[in-house]
Amino acid sequence: MAAALLAQAPALPLDDAGEYVAAAYIVFVLLLVVYVGIMAAKLARISRELEELAALAEGKEQGARSEEQRAAGSTEQGARDGDPVGAGEGRG
Amino acid sequence: MKTLSLRTLSIICAVLIGGGFALVFFYAPNDADQGFIQKIFYLHVPLAIVALVGFVVAAIHAIRHLRSGDPVHDARSYVSIHTSVIFGVAVLVTGAIWAKASWGQWWVWDEPTLVSFLIVFLLYATYYPLRYAIEDRERQARYASVFAVTAGAFVPLNFIAVRAAESLVHPRTFATAEGGLPPKMWLTFLVCLAGIAALWFILVRFELTAKRTSAQLSRLRRALDGTPPPVAGGVGTRIAPGATTAS
């Protein structure tokens, strides 16, 4: 279909005038491509930052979980030692 | 009214620009006077119109910012100017190519249309140093808005002044003694104008979305790190966080 359309279309006069017209449209496309490239770089940076933050959040979560486990372990230890309050907290 | 998604807008823009360029080369007749060179008109003029209207849009957002103090409007004003300056570069380059092809010179200093557009462009090029020379975020936004309003008012005045100058060099394509553009050229021009306007709008939306996402990431990082918000004017605070809701 594209070939048929091109066959019907008038030939583009790619002489001196055509070169200038092509240059103008190429400049426009190049500017667009540069802009898309900049936006892609921004997107990549955002994606990288998001990964870092996800890792940070996971690290915090794991830290909180191990803290909880440690606290639970000390409570059990305290109960076994006859301290129902647990962990020996507040003993000064 | 429901806002169209970026994807839908991008598809509309691609269809309009693709269709417009197809019309330029396969539908619109060659100009009797300039011949094939006149095809640059369908790119150069819409870019210029959209860039100038973009500056006026920035001024409107700046007025809204000054009235309400809402940083959302400041962000919209900033991004509108930013996108219009990029379009301005395209206008100057495509205009210089057209001038070289038509007049044999890259630039003509005694042509009011060219020089006035250059003045507007250079005026807006000073927006960035003005904005980032101010450290305090609120003052920065306020001064930038005042600049945007003043420069925005200059755009239509400039247009009227150029029309009044009645140059014989730069072609007045829309209203000539011969009756202006024929219908085929008008249709092609309007499709190209719609495509370029859609492109401007999409780029503004993209930029605002990117800035909003960056600002939210910064907030998230601060929340996770437990660090206090940055000092006004610091790196990453050029646009107030959360101030970038897409228009």
Side-chain angles (χ1 to χ4, degrees), chain B residues 23-72:
Chain B
L23 289 174
V24 168
F25 292 107
F26 301 120
Y27 176 72
N30 277 349
D31 185 64
D33 178 37
Q34 294 198 36
F36 191 64
I37 283 292
Q38 187 261 353
K39 301 285 184 191
I40 299 176
F41 160 83
Y42 301 104
L43 179 66
H44 173 75
V45 178
L47 278 171
I49 290 174
V50 171
L52 292 175
V53 170
F55 289 137
V56 176
V57 169
I60 293 167
H61 283 307
I63 291 169
R64 292 172 76 184
H65 171 248
L66 289 174
R67 282 171 66 100
S68 67
D70 188 348
V72 170

mmCIF file of all heavy atoms in Angstrom, chain B residues 23-72:
data_model
loop_
_atom_site.group_PDB
_atom_site.id
_atom_site.type_symbol
_atom_site.label_atom_id
_atom_site.label_comp_id
_atom_site.label_asym_id
_atom_site.label_seq_id
_atom_site.Cartn_x
_atom_site.Cartn_y
_atom_site.Cartn_z
ATOM 1 N N LEU B 23 0.984 15.324 4.265
ATOM 2 C CA LEU B 23 0.249 16.332 3.485
ATOM 3 C C LEU B 23 1.208 17.357 2.867
ATOM 4 O O LEU B 23 1.018 17.787 1.725
ATOM 5 C CB LEU B 23 -0.771 17.062 4.371
ATOM 6 C CG LEU B 23 -1.997 16.269 4.830
ATOM 7 C CD1 LEU B 23 -2.820 17.084 5.808
ATOM 8 C CD2 LEU B 23 -2.858 15.869 3.637
ATOM 9 N N VAL B 24 2.229 17.728 3.638
ATOM 10 C CA VAL B 24 3.196 18.721 3.148
ATOM 11 C C VAL B 24 3.813 18.245 1.832
ATOM 12 O O VAL B 24 3.898 18.996 0.855
ATOM 13 C CB VAL B 24 4.306 18.962 4.199
ATOM 14 C CG1 VAL B 24 5.470 19.748 3.589
ATOM 15 C CG2 VAL B 24 3.763 19.708 5.403
ATOM 16 N N PHE B 25 4.242 16.987 1.813
ATOM 17 C CA PHE B 25 5.016 16.526 0.659
ATOM 18 C C PHE B 25 4.168 15.884 -0.453
ATOM 19 O O PHE B 25 4.605 15.806 -1.585
ATOM 20 C CB PHE B 25 6.098 15.544 1.122
ATOM 21 C CG PHE B 25 7.163 16.233 1.944
ATOM 22 C CD1 PHE B 25 7.245 16.054 3.310
ATOM 23 C CD2 PHE B 25 8.051 17.117 1.340
ATOM 24 C CE1 PHE B 25 8.211 16.704 4.059
ATOM 25 C CE2 PHE B 25 9.012 17.781 2.076
ATOM 26 C CZ PHE B 25 9.095 17.576 3.443
ATOM 27 N N PHE B 26 2.984 15.410 -0.110
ATOM 28 C CA PHE B 26 2.214 14.674 -1.121
ATOM 29 C C PHE B 26 0.858 15.295 -1.453
ATOM 30 O O PHE B 26 0.147 14.799 -2.312
ATOM 31 C CB PHE B 26 2.007 13.225 -0.661
ATOM 32 C CG PHE B 26 3.296 12.503 -0.430
ATOM 33 C CD1 PHE B 26 3.606 11.986 0.821
ATOM 34 C CD2 PHE B 26 4.217 12.350 -1.453
ATOM 35 C CE1 PHE B 26 4.808 11.335 1.037
ATOM 36 C CE2 PHE B 26 5.416 11.691 -1.240
ATOM 37 C CZ PHE B 26 5.719 11.187 0.001
ATOM 38 N N TYR B 27 0.463 16.349 -0.738
ATOM 39 C CA TYR B 27 -0.866 16.917 -0.979
ATOM 40 C C TYR B 27 -0.801 18.419 -1.300
ATOM 41 O O TYR B 27 -1.378 18.857 -2.300
ATOM 42 C CB TYR B 27 -1.740 16.678 0.261
ATOM 43 C CG TYR B 27 -3.112 17.282 0.198
ATOM 44 C CD1 TYR B 27 -4.098 16.745 -0.628
ATOM 45 C CD2 TYR B 27 -3.435 18.400 0.977
ATOM 46 C CE1 TYR B 27 -5.359 17.306 -0.678
ATOM 47 C CE2 TYR B 27 -4.698 18.962 0.931
ATOM 48 C CZ TYR B 27 -5.657 18.411 0.109
ATOM 49 O OH TYR B 27 -6.905 18.964 0.058
ATOM 50 N N ALA B 28 -0.084 19.153 -0.469
ATOM 51 C CA ALA B 28 -0.028 20.612 -0.677
ATOM 52 C C ALA B 28 0.743 20.934 -1.953
ATOM 53 O O ALA B 28 1.800 20.350 -2.205
ATOM 54 C CB ALA B 28 0.654 21.263 0.523
ATOM 55 N N PRO B 29 0.200 21.850 -2.746
ATOM 56 C CA PRO B 29 0.920 22.202 -3.988
ATOM 57 C C PRO B 29 2.165 23.038 -3.697
ATOM 58 O O PRO B 29 2.272 23.670 -2.655
ATOM 59 C CB PRO B 29 -0.117 23.020 -4.756
ATOM 60 C CG PRO B 29 -1.008 23.584 -3.710
ATOM 61 C CD PRO B 29 -1.044 22.605 -2.582
ATOM 62 N N ASN B 30 3.080 23.016 -4.650
ATOM 63 C CA ASN B 30 4.260 23.863 -4.522
ATOM 64 C C ASN B 30 3.859 25.328 -4.683
ATOM 65 O O ASN B 30 2.968 25.656 -5.469
ATOM 66 C CB ASN B 30 5.289 23.518 -5.604
ATOM 67 C CG ASN B 30 6.142 22.332 -5.199
ATOM 68 O OD1 ASN B 30 6.114 21.888 -4.044
ATOM 69 N ND2 ASN B 30 6.876 21.794 -6.145
ATOM 70 N N ASP B 31 4.521 26.188 -3.944
ATOM 71 C CA ASP B 31 4.244 27.620 -4.021
ATOM 72 C C ASP B 31 4.685 28.160 -5.387
ATOM 73 O O ASP B 31 5.754 27.792 -5.894
ATOM 74 C CB ASP B 31 5.013 28.325 -2.894
ATOM 75 C CG ASP B 31 4.699 29.794 -2.817
ATOM 76 O OD1 ASP B 31 3.549 30.125 -2.529
ATOM 77 O OD2 ASP B 31 5.614 30.602 -3.067
ATOM 78 N N ALA B 32 3.830 29.013 -5.962
ATOM 79 C CA ALA B 32 4.126 29.539 -7.299
ATOM 80 C C ALA B 32 5.379 30.409 -7.302
ATOM 81 O O ALA B 32 6.131 30.433 -8.268
ATOM 82 C CB ALA B 32 2.931 30.349 -7.797
ATOM 83 N N ASP B 33 5.603 31.101 -6.203
ATOM 84 C CA ASP B 33 6.732 32.027 -6.136
ATOM 85 C C ASP B 33 8.015 31.322 -5.671
ATOM 86 O O ASP B 33 9.049 31.384 -6.343
ATOM 87 C CB ASP B 33 6.358 33.168 -5.171
ATOM 88 C CG ASP B 33 7.498 34.157 -5.013
ATOM 89 O OD1 ASP B 33 8.182 34.416 -6.020
ATOM 90 O OD2 ASP B 33 7.707 34.657 -3.890
ATOM 91 N N GLN B 34 7.932 30.636 -4.527
ATOM 92 C CA GLN B 34 9.145 30.052 -3.928
ATOM 93 C C GLN B 34 9.403 28.611 -4.351
ATOM 94 O O GLN B 34 10.499 28.085 -4.138
ATOM 95 C CB GLN B 34 9.048 30.111 -2.404
ATOM 96 C CG GLN B 34 9.059 31.508 -1.860
ATOM 97 C CD GLN B 34 9.415 31.519 -0.380
ATOM 98 O OE1 GLN B 34 10.220 30.732 0.091
ATOM 99 N NE2 GLN B 34 8.801 32.418 0.350
ATOM 100 N N GLY B 35 8.393 27.943 -4.847
ATOM 101 C CA GLY B 35 8.561 26.548 -5.242
ATOM 102 C C GLY B 35 8.653 25.610 -4.058
ATOM 103 O O GLY B 35 7.994 25.818 -3.038
ATOM 104 N N PHE B 36 9.515 24.628 -4.170
ATOM 105 C CA PHE B 36 9.594 23.559 -3.169
ATOM 106 C C PHE B 36 10.107 24.074 -1.822
ATOM 107 O O PHE B 36 9.766 23.530 -0.767
ATOM 108 C CB PHE B 36 10.510 22.450 -3.696
ATOM 109 C CG PHE B 36 10.452 21.189 -2.884
ATOM 110 C CD1 PHE B 36 9.286 20.447 -2.792
ATOM 111 C CD2 PHE B 36 11.567 20.734 -2.203
ATOM 112 C CE1 PHE B 36 9.231 19.282 -2.045
ATOM 113 C CE2 PHE B 36 11.524 19.569 -1.458
ATOM 114 C CZ PHE B 36 10.360 18.845 -1.375
ATOM 115 N N ILE B 37 10.917 25.122 -1.846
ATOM 116 C CA ILE B 37 11.483 25.693 -0.606
ATOM 117 C C ILE B 37 10.393 26.065 0.398
ATOM 118 O O ILE B 37 10.582 25.981 1.602
ATOM 119 C CB ILE B 37 12.310 26.961 -0.963
ATOM 120 C CG1 ILE B 37 13.654 26.558 -1.547
ATOM 121 C CG2 ILE B 37 12.535 27.853 0.248
ATOM 122 C CD1 ILE B 37 14.568 25.888 -0.560
ATOM 123 N N GLN B 38 9.230 26.460 -0.134
ATOM 124 C CA GLN B 38 8.150 26.936 0.735
ATOM 125 C C GLN B 38 7.662 25.839 1.685
ATOM 126 O O GLN B 38 6.974 26.124 2.667
ATOM 127 C CB GLN B 38 6.998 27.458 -0.144
ATOM 128 C CG GLN B 38 5.881 28.142 0.580
ATOM 129 C CD GLN B 38 4.699 27.195 0.790
ATOM 130 O OE1 GLN B 38 4.679 26.079 0.281
ATOM 131 N NE2 GLN B 38 3.723 27.656 1.544
ATOM 132 N N LYS B 39 8.046 24.578 1.446
ATOM 133 C CA LYS B 39 7.623 23.478 2.330
ATOM 134 C C LYS B 39 8.141 23.685 3.752
ATOM 135 O O LYS B 39 7.591 23.128 4.697
ATOM 136 C CB LYS B 39 8.154 22.135 1.798
ATOM 137 C CG LYS B 39 7.699 21.781 0.396
ATOM 138 C CD LYS B 39 6.272 21.334 0.338
ATOM 139 C CE LYS B 39 5.874 20.897 -1.058
ATOM 140 N NZ LYS B 39 4.435 20.708 -1.203
ATOM 141 N N ILE B 40 9.211 24.465 3.891
ATOM 142 C CA ILE B 40 9.737 24.743 5.237
ATOM 143 C C ILE B 40 8.716 25.531 6.057
ATOM 144 O O ILE B 40 8.663 25.421 7.280
ATOM 145 C CB ILE B 40 11.085 25.520 5.148
ATOM 146 C CG1 ILE B 40 12.129 24.675 4.410
ATOM 147 C CG2 ILE B 40 11.616 25.885 6.520
ATOM 148 C CD1 ILE B 40 13.449 25.376 4.170
ATOM 149 N N PHE B 41 7.887 26.283 5.362
ATOM 150 C CA PHE B 41 6.842 27.088 6.012
ATOM 151 C C PHE B 41 5.977 26.251 6.969
ATOM 152 O O PHE B 41 5.642 26.686 8.065
ATOM 153 C CB PHE B 41 5.980 27.724 4.911
ATOM 154 C CG PHE B 41 4.617 28.178 5.331
ATOM 155 C CD1 PHE B 41 4.430 29.409 5.944
ATOM 156 C CD2 PHE B 41 3.498 27.387 5.094
ATOM 157 C CE1 PHE B 41 3.172 29.829 6.320
ATOM 158 C CE2 PHE B 41 2.232 27.801 5.464
ATOM 159 C CZ PHE B 41 2.064 29.019 6.080
ATOM 160 N N TYR B 42 5.651 25.006 6.546
ATOM 161 C CA TYR B 42 4.738 24.167 7.339
ATOM 162 C C TYR B 42 5.380 23.679 8.638
ATOM 163 O O TYR B 42 4.695 23.145 9.513
ATOM 164 C CB TYR B 42 4.266 22.964 6.517
ATOM 165 C CG TYR B 42 3.548 23.370 5.267
ATOM 166 C CD1 TYR B 42 4.165 23.279 4.026
ATOM 167 C CD2 TYR B 42 2.252 23.876 5.326
ATOM 168 C CE1 TYR B 42 3.514 23.675 2.863
ATOM 169 C CE2 TYR B 42 1.595 24.273 4.175
ATOM 170 C CZ TYR B 42 2.225 24.172 2.944
ATOM 171 O OH TYR B 42 1.576 24.569 1.816
ATOM 172 N N LEU B 43 6.686 23.822 8.744
ATOM 173 C CA LEU B 43 7.381 23.442 9.974
ATOM 174 C C LEU B 43 7.752 24.696 10.763
ATOM 175 O O LEU B 43 7.511 24.773 11.973
ATOM 176 C CB LEU B 43 8.652 22.654 9.608
ATOM 177 C CG LEU B 43 9.517 22.186 10.763
ATOM 178 C CD1 LEU B 43 8.768 21.149 11.591
ATOM 179 C CD2 LEU B 43 10.813 21.586 10.247
ATOM 180 N N HIS B 44 8.324 25.662 10.056
ATOM 181 C CA HIS B 44 8.872 26.857 10.690
ATOM 182 C C HIS B 44 7.777 27.713 11.345
ATOM 183 O O HIS B 44 7.907 28.101 12.517
ATOM 184 C CB HIS B 44 9.630 27.654 9.610
ATOM 185 C CG HIS B 44 10.105 28.989 10.056
ATOM 186 N ND1 HIS B 44 11.189 29.154 10.883
ATOM 187 C CD2 HIS B 44 9.656 30.241 9.759
ATOM 188 C CE1 HIS B 44 11.378 30.450 11.086
ATOM 189 N NE2 HIS B 44 10.472 31.123 10.420
ATOM 190 N N VAL B 45 6.710 27.976 10.621
ATOM 191 C CA VAL B 45 5.677 28.883 11.140
ATOM 192 C C VAL B 45 4.906 28.263 12.316
ATOM 193 O O VAL B 45 4.727 28.929 13.346
ATOM 194 C CB VAL B 45 4.740 29.366 10.003
ATOM 195 C CG1 VAL B 45 3.640 30.262 10.548
ATOM 196 C CG2 VAL B 45 5.544 30.118 8.955
ATOM 197 N N PRO B 46 4.456 26.992 12.225
ATOM 198 C CA PRO B 46 3.809 26.410 13.411
ATOM 199 C C PRO B 46 4.723 26.395 14.635
ATOM 200 O O PRO B 46 4.269 26.679 15.750
ATOM 201 C CB PRO B 46 3.469 24.980 12.971
ATOM 202 C CG PRO B 46 3.340 25.053 11.507
ATOM 203 C CD PRO B 46 4.336 26.076 11.068
ATOM 204 N N LEU B 47 6.004 26.105 14.431
ATOM 205 C CA LEU B 47 6.938 26.108 15.565
ATOM 206 C C LEU B 47 6.999 27.500 16.202
ATOM 207 O O LEU B 47 6.975 27.629 17.431
ATOM 208 C CB LEU B 47 8.342 25.706 15.094
ATOM 209 C CG LEU B 47 8.621 24.207 14.941
ATOM 210 C CD1 LEU B 47 9.963 23.978 14.251
ATOM 211 C CD2 LEU B 47 8.619 23.502 16.285
ATOM 212 N N ALA B 48 7.064 28.529 15.347
ATOM 213 C CA ALA B 48 7.143 29.908 15.856
ATOM 214 C C ALA B 48 5.858 30.282 16.599
ATOM 215 O O ALA B 48 5.917 30.847 17.700
ATOM 216 C CB ALA B 48 7.396 30.869 14.692
ATOM 217 N N ILE B 49 4.707 29.954 16.009
ATOM 218 C CA ILE B 49 3.426 30.310 16.644
ATOM 219 C C ILE B 49 3.305 29.612 18.001
ATOM 220 O O ILE B 49 2.972 30.229 19.016
ATOM 221 C CB ILE B 49 2.241 29.939 15.719
ATOM 222 C CG1 ILE B 49 2.225 30.861 14.502
ATOM 223 C CG2 ILE B 49 0.921 30.018 16.464
ATOM 224 C CD1 ILE B 49 1.196 30.487 13.450
ATOM 225 N N VAL B 50 3.617 28.300 18.011
ATOM 226 C CA VAL B 50 3.465 27.538 19.258
ATOM 227 C C VAL B 50 4.455 28.038 20.316
ATOM 228 O O VAL B 50 4.097 28.160 21.502
ATOM 229 C CB VAL B 50 3.637 26.025 18.975
ATOM 230 C CG1 VAL B 50 3.717 25.235 20.268
ATOM 231 C CG2 VAL B 50 2.474 25.517 18.128
ATOM 232 N N ALA B 51 5.680 28.354 19.901
ATOM 233 C CA ALA B 51 6.668 28.857 20.868
ATOM 234 C C ALA B 51 6.178 30.165 21.491
ATOM 235 O O ALA B 51 6.224 30.334 22.722
ATOM 236 C CB ALA B 51 8.013 29.064 20.177
ATOM 237 N N LEU B 52 5.677 31.074 20.660
ATOM 238 C CA LEU B 52 5.224 32.365 21.182
ATOM 239 C C LEU B 52 3.974 32.210 22.060
ATOM 240 O O LEU B 52 3.879 32.840 23.118
ATOM 241 C CB LEU B 52 4.947 33.334 20.017
ATOM 242 C CG LEU B 52 6.197 33.774 19.238
ATOM 243 C CD1 LEU B 52 5.825 34.621 18.031
ATOM 244 C CD2 LEU B 52 7.167 34.547 20.129
ATOM 245 N N VAL B 53 3.050 31.353 21.617
ATOM 246 C CA VAL B 53 1.859 31.115 22.449
ATOM 247 C C VAL B 53 2.277 30.468 23.773
ATOM 248 O O VAL B 53 1.714 30.770 24.837
ATOM 249 C CB VAL B 53 0.830 30.239 21.686
ATOM 250 C CG1 VAL B 53 -0.297 29.782 22.599
ATOM 251 C CG2 VAL B 53 0.238 31.012 20.516
ATOM 252 N N GLY B 54 3.298 29.608 23.708
ATOM 253 C CA GLY B 54 3.808 28.973 24.929
ATOM 254 C C GLY B 54 4.325 29.991 25.928
ATOM 255 O O GLY B 54 4.112 29.855 27.139
ATOM 256 N N PHE B 55 4.974 31.043 25.425
ATOM 257 C CA PHE B 55 5.454 32.104 26.323
ATOM 258 C C PHE B 55 4.266 32.821 26.982
ATOM 259 O O PHE B 55 4.325 33.188 28.158
ATOM 260 C CB PHE B 55 6.306 33.111 25.540
ATOM 261 C CG PHE B 55 7.646 32.566 25.105
ATOM 262 C CD1 PHE B 55 8.136 32.819 23.831
ATOM 263 C CD2 PHE B 55 8.423 31.809 25.967
ATOM 264 C CE1 PHE B 55 9.374 32.331 23.430
ATOM 265 C CE2 PHE B 55 9.658 31.310 25.576
ATOM 266 C CZ PHE B 55 10.131 31.578 24.303
ATOM 267 N N VAL B 56 3.198 33.015 26.209
ATOM 268 C CA VAL B 56 2.010 33.667 26.772
ATOM 269 C C VAL B 56 1.348 32.751 27.814
ATOM 270 O O VAL B 56 0.905 33.216 28.879
ATOM 271 C CB VAL B 56 1.020 34.047 25.643
ATOM 272 C CG1 VAL B 56 -0.262 34.639 26.210
ATOM 273 C CG2 VAL B 56 1.657 35.047 24.677
ATOM 274 N N VAL B 57 1.314 31.445 27.512
ATOM 275 C CA VAL B 57 0.758 30.481 28.475
ATOM 276 C C VAL B 57 1.568 30.531 29.779
ATOM 277 O O VAL B 57 1.007 30.510 30.889
ATOM 278 C CB VAL B 57 0.775 29.047 27.875
ATOM 279 C CG1 VAL B 57 0.469 27.991 28.934
ATOM 280 C CG2 VAL B 57 -0.226 28.940 26.735
ATOM 281 N N ALA B 58 2.890 30.618 29.639
ATOM 282 C CA ALA B 58 3.758 30.718 30.825
ATOM 283 C C ALA B 58 3.414 31.967 31.632
ATOM 284 O O ALA B 58 3.395 31.922 32.873
ATOM 285 C CB ALA B 58 5.217 30.758 30.386
ATOM 286 N N ALA B 59 3.127 33.058 30.936
ATOM 287 C CA ALA B 59 2.767 34.305 31.631
ATOM 288 C C ALA B 59 1.448 34.131 32.386
ATOM 289 O O ALA B 59 1.303 34.616 33.516
ATOM 290 C CB ALA B 59 2.654 35.441 30.620
ATOM 291 N N ILE B 60 0.500 33.419 31.781
ATOM 292 C CA ILE B 60 -0.801 33.194 32.446
ATOM 293 C C ILE B 60 -0.602 32.364 33.726
ATOM 294 O O ILE B 60 -1.142 32.673 34.782
ATOM 295 C CB ILE B 60 -1.788 32.518 31.474
ATOM 296 C CG1 ILE B 60 -2.144 33.496 30.345
ATOM 297 C CG2 ILE B 60 -3.050 32.068 32.198
ATOM 298 C CD1 ILE B 60 -2.848 32.853 29.165
ATOM 299 N N HIS B 61 0.234 31.310 33.612
ATOM 300 C CA HIS B 61 0.519 30.497 34.810
ATOM 301 C C HIS B 61 1.232 31.341 35.868
ATOM 302 O O HIS B 61 0.993 31.172 37.069
ATOM 303 C CB HIS B 61 1.379 29.295 34.440
ATOM 304 C CG HIS B 61 0.612 28.199 33.763
ATOM 305 N ND1 HIS B 61 -0.538 27.659 34.301
ATOM 306 C CD2 HIS B 61 0.825 27.529 32.612
ATOM 307 C CE1 HIS B 61 -0.997 26.713 33.494
ATOM 308 N NE2 HIS B 61 -0.195 26.619 32.462
ATOM 309 N N ALA B 62 2.117 32.240 35.399
ATOM 310 C CA ALA B 62 2.855 33.093 36.340
ATOM 311 C C ALA B 62 1.896 34.029 37.071
ATOM 312 O O ALA B 62 2.032 34.241 38.283
ATOM 313 C CB ALA B 62 3.911 33.888 35.583
ATOM 314 N N ILE B 63 0.907 34.557 36.347
ATOM 315 C CA ILE B 63 -0.093 35.422 36.999
ATOM 316 C C ILE B 63 -0.845 34.619 38.063
ATOM 317 O O ILE B 63 -1.045 35.077 39.192
ATOM 318 C CB ILE B 63 -1.080 36.001 35.953
ATOM 319 C CG1 ILE B 63 -0.364 37.015 35.053
ATOM 320 C CG2 ILE B 63 -2.270 36.666 36.626
ATOM 321 C CD1 ILE B 63 -1.163 37.454 33.844
ATOM 322 N N ARG B 64 -1.213 33.402 37.703
ATOM 323 C CA ARG B 64 -1.939 32.551 38.658
ATOM 324 C C ARG B 64 -1.064 32.242 39.879
ATOM 325 O O ARG B 64 -1.552 32.148 40.998
ATOM 326 C CB ARG B 64 -2.394 31.264 37.973
ATOM 327 C CG ARG B 64 -3.469 31.540 36.933
ATOM 328 C CD ARG B 64 -3.782 30.329 36.116
ATOM 329 N NE ARG B 64 -4.601 29.372 36.847
ATOM 330 C CZ ARG B 64 -4.937 28.182 36.363
ATOM 331 N NH1 ARG B 64 -4.532 27.810 35.171
ATOM 332 N NH2 ARG B 64 -5.675 27.366 37.064
ATOM 333 N N HIS B 65 0.241 32.090 39.618
ATOM 334 C CA HIS B 65 1.150 31.836 40.740
ATOM 335 C C HIS B 65 1.243 33.045 41.656
ATOM 336 O O HIS B 65 1.194 32.914 42.885
ATOM 337 C CB HIS B 65 2.544 31.456 40.221
ATOM 338 C CG HIS B 65 3.566 31.384 41.306
ATOM 339 N ND1 HIS B 65 4.597 32.272 41.417
ATOM 340 C CD2 HIS B 65 3.678 30.542 42.359
ATOM 341 C CE1 HIS B 65 5.316 31.967 42.487
ATOM 342 N NE2 HIS B 65 4.790 30.928 43.076
ATOM 343 N N LEU B 66 1.345 34.231 41.048
ATOM 344 C CA LEU B 66 1.457 35.444 41.861
ATOM 345 C C LEU B 66 0.175 35.697 42.649
ATOM 346 O O LEU B 66 0.213 36.199 43.769
ATOM 347 C CB LEU B 66 1.779 36.649 40.967
ATOM 348 C CG LEU B 66 3.195 36.678 40.381
ATOM 349 C CD1 LEU B 66 3.339 37.824 39.395
ATOM 350 C CD2 LEU B 66 4.245 36.784 41.474
ATOM 351 N N ARG B 67 -0.957 35.336 42.056
ATOM 352 C CA ARG B 67 -2.236 35.552 42.741
ATOM 353 C C ARG B 67 -2.460 34.557 43.867
ATOM 354 O O ARG B 67 -2.972 34.899 44.924
ATOM 355 C CB ARG B 67 -3.396 35.439 41.739
ATOM 356 C CG ARG B 67 -3.558 36.685 40.875
ATOM 357 C CD ARG B 67 -4.548 36.420 39.776
ATOM 358 N NE ARG B 67 -5.882 36.202 40.323
ATOM 359 C CZ ARG B 67 -6.823 37.120 40.350
ATOM 360 N NH1 ARG B 67 -6.581 38.308 39.877
ATOM 361 N NH2 ARG B 67 -7.997 36.860 40.850
ATOM 362 N N SER B 68 -2.092 33.297 43.608
ATOM 363 C CA SER B 68 -2.419 32.257 44.585
ATOM 364 C C SER B 68 -1.236 31.828 45.450
ATOM 365 O O SER B 68 -1.414 31.295 46.537
ATOM 366 C CB SER B 68 -2.972 31.027 43.852
ATOM 367 O OG SER B 68 -1.937 30.450 43.066
ATOM 368 N N GLY B 69 -0.026 32.025 44.942
ATOM 369 C CA GLY B 69 1.168 31.545 45.664
ATOM 370 C C GLY B 69 1.352 30.045 45.551
ATOM 371 O O GLY B 69 2.226 29.470 46.209
ATOM 372 N N ASP B 70 0.532 29.418 44.717
ATOM 373 C CA ASP B 70 0.603 27.957 44.565
ATOM 374 C C ASP B 70 1.805 27.594 43.679
ATOM 375 O O ASP B 70 1.872 28.005 42.518
ATOM 376 C CB ASP B 70 -0.707 27.485 43.912
ATOM 377 C CG ASP B 70 -0.802 25.970 43.882
ATOM 378 O OD1 ASP B 70 0.218 25.314 44.158
ATOM 379 O OD2 ASP B 70 -1.896 25.459 43.581
ATOM 380 N N PRO B 71 2.766 26.820 44.223
ATOM 381 C CA PRO B 71 3.957 26.488 43.430
ATOM 382 C C PRO B 71 3.678 25.640 42.185
ATOM 383 O O PRO B 71 4.527 25.564 41.297
ATOM 384 C CB PRO B 71 4.850 25.724 44.415
ATOM 385 C CG PRO B 71 4.005 25.378 45.557
ATOM 386 C CD PRO B 71 2.845 26.297 45.585
ATOM 387 N N VAL B 72 2.496 25.026 42.119
ATOM 388 C CA VAL B 72 2.129 24.258 40.927
ATOM 389 C C VAL B 72 2.172 25.160 39.688
ATOM 390 O O VAL B 72 2.691 24.784 38.634
ATOM 391 C CB VAL B 72 0.714 23.637 41.080
ATOM 392 C CG1 VAL B 72 0.228 23.050 39.770
ATOM 393 C CG2 VAL B 72 0.729 22.577 42.149
#
